[in-house]
Amino acid sequence: MQIAGRDAILDKEVKSMDVRMKKKIIGSLAGLFLVGVLAGCNESEQRETVSKEARETTVDIETQQKQREVAQIDPMEELLEDFYGDYQEKGGEIAFVSDGVVMDGNYNEAIYEGIQMYALAAGVSFSYYNVEEDNFEGHLETVEDAIRNQAKIVVCAGYDFQETVGKLQDDYPEVSFLLIDGVPADTKGKEIEIKENVHCVSFKEEESGYLAGYMAVLEGYHNLGFIGGKEEPSVIRYGYGYLQGIDDAAREMGFEDVTVNYWYAGTFQSEEEICEEATQWYTEGTEIIFACGGFLYASVLEAANKEDGMLIGVDVDQNERSERFLTCAVKDIANAVVISLDDYYATGGKWSEVFAGQNVRYGVEDNCTGIPVLETEWRFKNVTMKDFYELYTHVKQGKISVSDETDKQPQVSVTVNYK
């Protein structure tokens, strides 16, 4: 089975197409396959693609899954098939630079899928580069290697690239940079001016954290946990939003005994220390832990398997990895990358006036933050999708305000044990 219009999209003649027409094609593809309630965050029409029926009724997930099994098709795999060899080991026009495994099934892979979706549809060459030394010098060397290999636009994954982009935006004004979840900074980590050759994308993670925390308490959990990776803005926003959601739900439900254990592990990797901490929490009564960052979820999952605990995942839908994931706090990273690359190429190989030197934050109002709903298994037993959509709509309409402050802990009435 072929995706409708796939051959036309992948034909090299697409290069001669009007770039705005390509945007429509790419936008529709992204809307078809990205997870959760996320339907694309670039066009007003896309922002309302969650159907009225889905908002008002509980979707029959089992039926959807059976239909997908019968179809025996992986749309994303089909979409990302490189028929024409646009991927290059080195020398790609679009260069993705990460400081971890690219195909990590999580954050880096979501960025890379966005690059693939755009590049394969538009017929643009692309490459990826891994940082060997996880420090400023290592990041700098790897990005400059990509530039020496003729990269025209460099996509950098995460907060740890802020200082690198801060330096190179001046050193290479002819090169464009797309920085995900960060803004240019000096060598001391202080934010500096975003130059015209840089566009930054970030998300309102506090909204996703809020929704996940609220839903967990609504489900009936009283003893919750949060284990974050590095103490950086996106992780902090996830965590502080999570606490706000827990607090609001506890008040609504009249729960007076809700507690939260809260800790930053200082790493996004799976570590024995994380497993030991999570095991202790579960043993002492913690029922569910928000594992917020990279591969650290593996350590929390190991503890959950031993102690019969539950998890909340992060960034992308991780439900397929284990039945112990109740839900995930997600953000539409791939589509944000598609939107950004489309702007760059639509303007002739540079950022438009709207994107140049700007940091765009996508959130619920753009259908770019939330929890996965439509293309995943619904594991809540006491809460319906209708309950979720009512909450989601209140956040989207501004009836519920979630603070994005990261410099101070949120004021909540539930008990929070900060480590």
Side-chain angles (χ1 to χ4, degrees):
M1 179 179 177
Q2 291 290 320
I3 299 171
R6 177 58 193 267
D7 292 340
I9 296 170
L10 290 177
D11 194 292
K12 284 299 181 179
E13 293 180 4
V14 78
K15 289 184 176 180
S16 64
M17 294 171 60
D18 178 79
V19 179
R20 287 300 176 185
M21 180 60 71
K22 287 186 284 184
K23 178 175 182 177
K24 293 180 181 179
I25 295 170
I26 294 163
S28 64
L29 288 171
L32 282 172
F33 305 119
L34 296 179
V35 299
V37 298
L38 314 176
C41 42
N42 55 331
E43 300 290 346
S44 59
E45 293 91 338
Q46 291 175 319
R47 293 177 181 176
E48 300 302 330
T49 56
V50 178
S51 68
K52 181 178 180 181
E53 180 181 358
R55 289 193 179 98
E56 296 178 347
T57 64
T58 301
V59 177
D60 188 345
I61 295 299
E62 292 184 359
T63 299
Q64 289 188 353
Q65 289 177 327
K66 289 178 181 178
Q67 290 173 344
R68 288 196 294 271
E69 290 171 1
V70 172
Q72 293 183 333
I73 180 172
D74 184 342
M76 184 60 75
E77 184 177 340
E78 288 279 312
L79 180 62
L80 300 181
E81 185 70 30
D82 187 6
F83 292 107
Y84 295 100
D86 291 313
Y87 167 76
Q88 298 180 11
E89 186 172 346
K90 286 183 178 289
E93 191 171 303
I94 304 171
F96 174 43
V97 183
S98 72
D99 57 3
V101 177
V102 172
M103 303 307 288
D104 61 358
N106 200 14
Y107 182 80
N108 286 340
E109 188 168 337
I111 296 174
Y112 189 54
E113 282 184 351
I115 293 170
Q116 287 178 293
M117 278 194 286
Y118 186 87
L120 295 175
V124 179
S125 63
F126 62 101
S127 304
Y128 66 81
Y129 301 77
N130 285 320
V131 172
E132 294 185 5
E133 294 186 20
D134 190 11
N135 53 39
F136 173 69
E137 290 74 18
H139 288 70
L140 196 68
E141 180 180 346
T142 307
V143 174
E144 289 192 305
D145 183 37
I147 293 172
R148 285 191 294 270
N149 280 287
Q150 309 305 312
K152 294 183 180 179
I153 178 168
V154 181
V155 183
C156 296
Y159 182 82
D160 288 344
F161 282 89
Q162 291 192 136
E163 295 174 13
T164 301
V165 174
K167 181 180 188 310
L168 298 183
Q169 65 178 358
D170 290 319
D171 293 352
Y172 297 94
E174 75 283 3
V175 177
S176 295
F177 297 90
L178 173 58
L179 179 57
I180 310 297
D181 285 325
V183 293
D186 60 23
T187 54
K188 295 182 179 179
K190 183 179 179 180
E191 292 184 11
I192 59 176
E193 178 187 0
I194 306 174
K195 296 301 177 67
E196 294 294 300
N197 59 330
V198 177
H199 177 61
C200 303
V201 168
S202 59
F203 300 85
K204 298 179 181 179
E205 292 92 352
E206 67 276 4
E207 295 175 342
S208 297
Y210 180 94
L211 292 166
Y214 194 107
M215 292 290 288
V217 174
L218 214 60
E219 177 69 2
Y221 290 99
H222 290 239
N223 300 307
L224 304 95
F226 174 87
I227 297 180
K230 296 180 181 179
E231 195 171 352
E232 58 188 45
S234 61
V235 177
I236 297 172
R237 287 195 293 267
Y238 268 130
Y240 286 0
Y242 181 60
L243 293 179
Q244 293 174 70
I246 290 170
D247 191 52
D248 282 357
R251 282 203 308 271
E252 178 180 316
M253 299 294 289
F255 295 159
E256 298 181 355
D257 60 344
V258 173
T259 62
V260 187
N261 289 326
Y262 197 101
W263 175 52
Y264 296 107
T267 179
F268 293 122
Q269 302 305 312
S270 177
E271 301 282 354
E272 183 60 32
E273 180 187 8
I274 298 173
C275 182
E276 291 174 355
E277 187 72 19
T279 299
Q280 182 177 341
W281 287 7
Y282 284 129
T283 302
E284 293 175 350
T286 297
E287 301 162 288
I288 187 166
I289 297 175
F290 183 3
C292 185
F295 285 110
L296 72 79
Y297 81 88
S299 297
V300 180
L301 179 57
E302 182 181 348
N305 285 329
K306 289 190 296 184
E307 301 298 333
D308 195 25
M310 293 293 290
L311 284 81
I312 293 173
V314 73
D315 287 338
V316 300
D317 184 5
Q318 297 175 308
N319 281 358
E320 291 185 357
R321 298 178 189 178
S322 172
E323 292 182 355
R324 295 199 177 277
F325 283 95
L326 173 69
T327 188
C328 303
V330 299
K331 53 189 184 183
D332 197 344
I333 302 170
N335 203 33
V337 171
V338 170
I339 295 162
S340 301
L341 291 175
D342 181 65
D343 178 87
Y344 171 83
Y345 282 99
T347 319
K350 63 179 181 179
W351 300 118
S352 68
E353 292 183 1
V354 177
F355 279 51
Q358 299 298 314
N359 176 25
V360 176
R361 289 192 70 204
Y362 294 115
V364 164
E365 64 182 354
D366 311 294
N367 291 326
C368 283
T369 51
I371 64 172
V373 177
L374 298 180
E375 294 297 326
T376 192
E377 181 182 355
W378 185 257
R379 290 178 177 162
F380 293 92
K381 295 180 173 59
N382 303 319
V383 188
T384 67
M385 288 186 184
K386 181 179 179 181
D387 294 327
F388 168 71
Y389 279 122
E390 288 177 354
L391 175 65
Y392 182 83
T393 300
H394 287 161
V395 175
K396 188 170 186 176
Q397 294 175 345
K399 294 179 181 178
I400 295 175
S401 178
V402 187
S403 172
D404 63 354
E405 290 188 58
T406 58
D407 57 349
K408 62 180 181 180
Q409 297 166 352
Q411 297 298 308
V412 294
S413 57
V414 298
T415 301
V416 183
N417 302 312
Y418 293 100
K419 179 179 178 180

